[in-house]
Amino acid sequence: MVQVAVAQPLPPLPPPRPVESPSRAAPDAQPPEAPPASTADTPSAGSAADDCFARLKAAGFEIESAEPPQVSNELCRVETPVRLKSVPVPTKPETVVRLSNQPILACRFAGPLGHWIGDLVAPLVAGSKGSVLKAVETGPGFECRNRNRAAAGKLSAHAQGLAIDIAGFELANGATLRIKLENDTAPDPALAALRTAACGWFSTILGPGSDEAHHDHLHVDIEQHGSSDRYRICQ
């Protein structure tokens, strides 16, 4: 007998996949791009400079913005230049110490310099000399030159407005404490004390006895030496 194959019924098909809700993202969909940041949320380039200037003004410093001096060497640049005119003495309200030459400095250096003068030098001088500190005789602050005015070599901290040279301190009684030593005399104890204390405020302190280039003035700056901001040159 001839066997005839009987066709088997097809298996039932699975139910159709339900249509996804339009609100559901496809598995491979990319998240929408974030909107561009608002310029109001992005710190402006001058915000740090404005903050420095505002802090010093709020502390009682008499300063004004200064134009960067025109120089031929483009490496001589002052970040946020200010002209420092006077600083307050916190221990004597309404008392200020003038900077006779109104030096141009980087704002971030004007702060520690002014606080050193007002917080430390003025009380120390008044206590040891019995007269109020009236003014500080300085150089111009910013100078586009090499260290020790050498013809070649590294730029001085003055070239960034981070240094000042101090020639003397004028007292209200008419006397002046000169940095330059006369006739090999010993330094005044008050000058020796404020020079030693300066090591806590600045990264470099040089004066009479350091070398010939600093025989008649006190040089202080905040230039960083190497990779550490704690290294000090106190001479």
Side-chain angles (χ1 to χ4, degrees):
M1 179 182 294
V2 177
Q3 293 183 350
V4 179
V6 179
Q8 298 295 321
L10 295 173
L13 296 174
R17 183 178 183 181
V19 178
E20 292 185 349
S21 171
S23 62
R24 184 178 179 182
D28 57 350
Q30 297 297 319
E33 292 184 5
S38 169
T39 55
D41 298 332
T42 303
S44 65
S47 62
D50 293 341
D51 289 347
C52 176
F53 193 87
R55 283 196 306 272
L56 298 187
K57 292 286 284 187
F61 284 49
E62 184 183 1
I63 58 173
E64 63 182 28
S65 296
E67 289 295 324
Q70 298 296 317
V71 295
S72 58
N73 187 346
E74 62 179 11
L75 297 179
C76 296
R77 300 177 181 177
V78 185
E79 179 184 349
T80 318
V82 297
R83 187 177 294 279
L84 184 59
K85 297 182 175 182
S86 70
V87 298
V89 180
T91 56
K92 286 187 174 294
E94 300 183 4
T95 300
V96 300
V97 178
R98 294 184 298 102
L99 283 90
S100 305
N101 291 329
Q102 301 183 7
I104 293 179
L105 311 167
C107 188
R108 66 186 180 96
F109 175 58
L113 174 65
H115 285 299
W116 175 68
I117 293 172
D119 298 357
L120 174 75
V121 179
L124 189 154
V125 169
S128 62
K129 296 300 177 182
S131 182
V132 173
L133 178 61
K134 179 182 177 181
V136 181
E137 299 177 359
T138 72
F142 171 80
E143 286 187 85
C144 184
R145 61 175 175 82
N146 294 327
R147 293 178 181 175
N148 299 335
R149 303 184 184 279
K154 294 184 178 180
L155 281 177
S156 167
H158 287 277
Q160 277 75 47
L162 299 178
I164 194 77
D165 291 335
I166 299 171
F169 300 92
E170 298 177 15
L171 309 185
N173 64 6
T176 299
L177 293 176
R178 296 289 180 190
I179 301 299
K180 183 179 179 180
L181 300 178
E182 298 294 341
N183 301 321
D184 297 326
T185 57
D188 186 287
L191 292 178
L194 64 85
R195 180 173 174 176
T196 299
C199 291
W201 298 75
F202 308 105
S203 58
T204 308
I205 303 91
L206 301 170
S210 299
D211 54 36
E212 182 57 29
H214 300 90
H215 75 281
D216 61 353
H217 66 273
L218 188 66
H219 166 102
V220 298
D221 71 53
I222 59 169
E223 189 173 41
Q224 181 171 316
H225 303 292
S227 60
S228 174
D229 59 359
R230 298 183 179 182
Y231 186 83
R232 296 287 187 271
I233 298 176
C234 300
Q235 297 179 356

